Amino acid sequence: MALNKLVAGNWKMHGVAADLEQVEAIAAASRSLAAVEVALCLPLTLIERAVRAVPGLAIGAQDVHFAEKGAHTGNASAAMLRDAGASLTIVGHSERRQAHRESDAEVKAKAEAALAAGLGVILCVGESLAVREAGGAVDTVDAQLQASLPAGIGDPMDFSVAYEPIWAIGTGKAASPDDIGEMHAAVRQRLVTAYGDAGNRVRILYGGSVKASNSVEIFALANVDGALVGGASLSVADFLPIVEAAAAAAAAG
Ligand code: PGA
């Protein structure tokens, strides 16, 4: 089944007020494209200003705390993100799993807290190079999913899984079409096992060095319902061709 594609940008720790003009340009350029949803996951400091600047564009966060409120210095809750105008958040990005030692259980709690508060979720999974080279990529990602998928997802369009091989993030070297196809099929199977037919309507995004030059090929693959884009989402010049490729793939069915 062809789902509307989702192309989400992950700005990571990039962006100050001057960069809102890129957000505005991305929103303006993608407004007319059918069958593709565009979202930008921005630093916390830009969320509210971006929402004000481009009311029609989905603005997201890059992480959320699992608690509703409390003594959690430096964190933001799902309700706070909603209050700032965010409509979605990434959870479980490998940079957080590694640098902040986030466990699958914590990622699951974050996803459940976000969904319960009405925030869409992009849940990231992905293997290291050592695991890929040892032949354990599919098993590792499947184990991550089993331990981090939320118990329920409500509307499947509000929940996405992003397959992001760690070795492909920020390296310029995306996974091969064969490897993406194999992994996304396994992710789909796990989603259907977890959620029944609704698992067929969860979007599976690929992430890791997506750029204009590889996006057409990636979006043509079965079970690739969009992309999570880091570096190439920071400017309209790099991001728009990827969004256009997703729109073209969605139109082609
Ligand atoms: P990249 O990052 O597109 O810069 O490789 C992707 C991500 O980390 O989400």
Side-chain angles (χ1 to χ4, degrees):
M1 183 188 358
L3 304 171
N4 273 1
K5 302 264 193 248
L6 170 63
V7 181
N10 173 12
W11 275 28
K12 309 191 180 186
M13 201 167 72
H14 297 284
V16 293
D19 300 301
L20 286 170
E21 65 184 40
Q22 293 302 319
V23 176
E24 289 171 17
I26 287 166
S30 49
R31 202 165 286 143
S32 60
L33 297 170
V36 59
E37 287 169 38
V38 176
L40 289 178
C41 296
L42 299 178
L44 286 175
T45 47
L46 283 183
I47 289 176
E48 189 164 356
R49 279 178 284 176
V51 169
R52 283 186 206 280
V54 288
L57 187 72
I59 300 295
Q62 301 165 12
D63 180 44
V64 63
H65 199 277
F66 54 77
E68 277 178 33
K69 57 180 151 186
H72 302 289
T73 302
N75 289 116
S77 71
M80 290 170 180
L81 298 176
R82 283 284 307 249
D83 187 50
S87 56
L88 74 157
T89 185
I90 297 168
V91 298
H93 192 282
S94 61
E95 286 155 16
R96 293 207 60 89
R97 289 177 184 264
Q98 288 182 321
H100 300 269
R101 298 191 187 82
E102 289 187 8
S103 65
D104 287 325
E106 195 174 341
V107 171
K108 176 178 180 168
K110 287 174 179 223
E112 290 178 345
L115 291 172
L119 276 182
V121 165
I122 298 173
L123 188 154
C124 302
V125 289
E127 82 285 356
S128 66
L129 186 59
V131 166
R132 164 70 53 189
E133 287 178 341
V138 171
D139 285 350
T140 295
V141 167
D142 193 48
Q144 283 179 336
L145 285 173
Q146 288 191 62
S148 59
L149 284 175
I153 51 169
D155 183 345
M157 296 308 277
D158 292 335
F159 179 72
S160 307
V161 169
Y163 167 55
E164 298 206 308
I166 296 167
W167 47 271
I169 293 175
T171 60
K173 190 181 177 309
S176 72
D178 282 355
D179 288 345
I180 297 173
E182 179 191 36
M183 187 65 80
H184 281 225
V187 173
R188 178 68 68 207
Q189 209 169 21
R190 175 55 55 198
L191 288 168
V192 170
T193 302
Y195 306 123
D197 188 46
N200 283 315
R201 301 196 301 281
V202 170
R203 286 180 288 206
I204 307 174
L205 316 181
Y206 169 76
S209 296
V210 175
K211 46 198 167 191
S213 59
N214 59 22
S215 57
V216 172
E217 184 177 39
I218 291 172
F219 289 137
L221 297 168
N223 289 309
V224 175
D225 308 306
L228 183 57
V229 184
S233 71
L234 293 171
S235 73
V236 66
D238 290 334
F239 195 49
L240 189 63
I242 299 170
V243 176
E244 287 172 340

